[in-house]
Amino acid sequence: MSVSPASPLFDLKSTAWWLTALRLHVADAAALGAALDERFADSPGLFDDEPLVIDLSPLRDGEAVPDFGALLRHLARHRMRAVAVQGGSEAQMAAAREAGLPPATEPETRPEPRPEPELREVEVVRDVVREVEVIREVEVPVPAAAVPTMIVDKPLRSGQRVYARGGDLVVLSVVSFGAEVIADGSIHVYAPLRGRAIAGARGDVNARIFSTCMEPQLVSVAGMYRTTETPLADDIVGKPAQVRLEGERLVVEPLAVN
């Protein structure tokens, strides 16, 4: 499989398993190792032994099978711990299993919304007066309980992870380097944000990340991410700012505070 020099050999995406997916665009383990070295040379320890899924879907229609043993060694150099694979052909998945990587299970899915109840007409006959009434029976659906916003009022230290399932997350204290905050909705940090923040974890493109002191290790909205290897502008770093999606582009911009 030929790849032009400008094409990335891999990319990283947030997934519904709360894990990062390493999506391979080539099977050459040596080339991938060199690309990892170049990409993360200035970010040692960025992943801090964080588990990830290897996504083989771009390679599924080809015959190339990665050398998973070599690939795992390259990942270990950058403290990236592969725990599963997904999306590969039968031969690719078999090779992954031989290297000790099981197939990733399907992510949790949300129940399908209940269909609107149909109106039913019931004919009632009264023998005495021989009249006919039409009664409309209407089932009134009970609205699903709103998911409350999760509020964390204590500092989050390196290695700690908080996930607000189905809603927003509000943090009232510092998110230290190496800590991780995740929400299916938006994330609000009313203190320095120095760790990882992942909003819209299940694909909500309208989710945002807010902080009164934006100094993140990594920010991600609906799978699009940005790390410290792309420095923030001077009018953003350490100041109130927000992160949002504009199409498929992640935008980090100052937050006006009156």
Side-chain angles (χ1 to χ4, degrees), residues 17 26 58 62 72 75 92 118 123 125-126 142 172 187 191 197 201-202 204 209 227:
W17 290 275
V26 298
L72 292 176
L75 295 175
Q92 292 161 352
E118 296 182 357
E123 184 178 72
V125 179
R126 297 187 177 182
V142 178
L172 302 178
I187 295 174
R202 293 179 180 267
D204 183 0
I209 300 170
T227 67

Side-chain angles (χ1 to χ4, degrees), residues 103-204:
T105 56
E106 289 297 320
E108 178 183 343
T109 57
R110 295 184 176 181
E112 292 295 325
R114 291 181 60 185
E116 290 295 325
E118 296 182 357
L119 300 180
R120 292 178 294 167
E121 291 192 351
V122 179
E123 184 178 72
V124 178
V125 179
R126 297 187 177 182
D127 291 332
V128 177
V129 294
R130 302 294 182 184
E131 66 180 13
V132 175
E133 271 185 19
V134 175
I135 300 175
R136 290 184 177 271
E137 293 184 352
V138 179
E139 179 183 354
V140 180
V142 178
V147 177
T149 297
M150 178 182 289
I151 299 176
V152 177
D153 57 6
K154 296 180 180 179
L156 295 176
R157 299 184 298 274
S158 178
Q160 291 184 307
R161 172 181 290 183
V162 174
Y163 173 42
R165 181 189 297 273
D168 293 349
L169 173 64
V170 173
V171 184
L172 302 178
S173 192
V174 62
V175 179
S176 301
F177 186 91
E180 189 169 57
V181 287
I182 307 170
D184 289 345
S186 295
I187 295 174
H188 306 255
V189 181
Y190 296 102
L193 170 57
R194 296 176 180 143
R196 304 184 186 95
I198 300 172
R202 293 179 180 267
D204 183 0

Side-chain angles (χ1 to χ4, degrees), residues 5-98:
S7 300
L9 303 190
F10 65 89
D11 58 52
L12 295 162
K13 295 279 286 181
S14 297
T15 72
W17 290 275
W18 322 334
L19 303 180
T20 299
L22 177 72
R23 186 166 51 189
L24 304 186
H25 297 278
V26 298
D28 187 336
L32 287 165
L36 288 165
D37 292 342
E38 180 180 0
R39 179 73 171 273
F40 301 116
D42 298 327
S43 306
L46 174 64
F47 291 92
D48 195 23
D49 294 323
E50 180 178 343
L52 57 82
V53 174
I54 297 176
D55 186 354
L56 302 172
S57 53
L59 306 177
R60 180 172 47 219
D61 295 332
E63 297 181 358
V65 176
D67 181 344
F68 288 101
L71 178 58
L72 292 176
R73 290 191 291 273
H74 291 311
L75 295 175
R77 287 205 317 274
H78 297 281
R79 299 185 66 180
M80 302 168 75
R81 181 165 56 91
V83 296
V85 292
Q86 66 181 21
S89 66
E90 184 175 342
Q92 292 161 352
M93 299 296 282
R97 283 194 296 272
E98 290 180 3

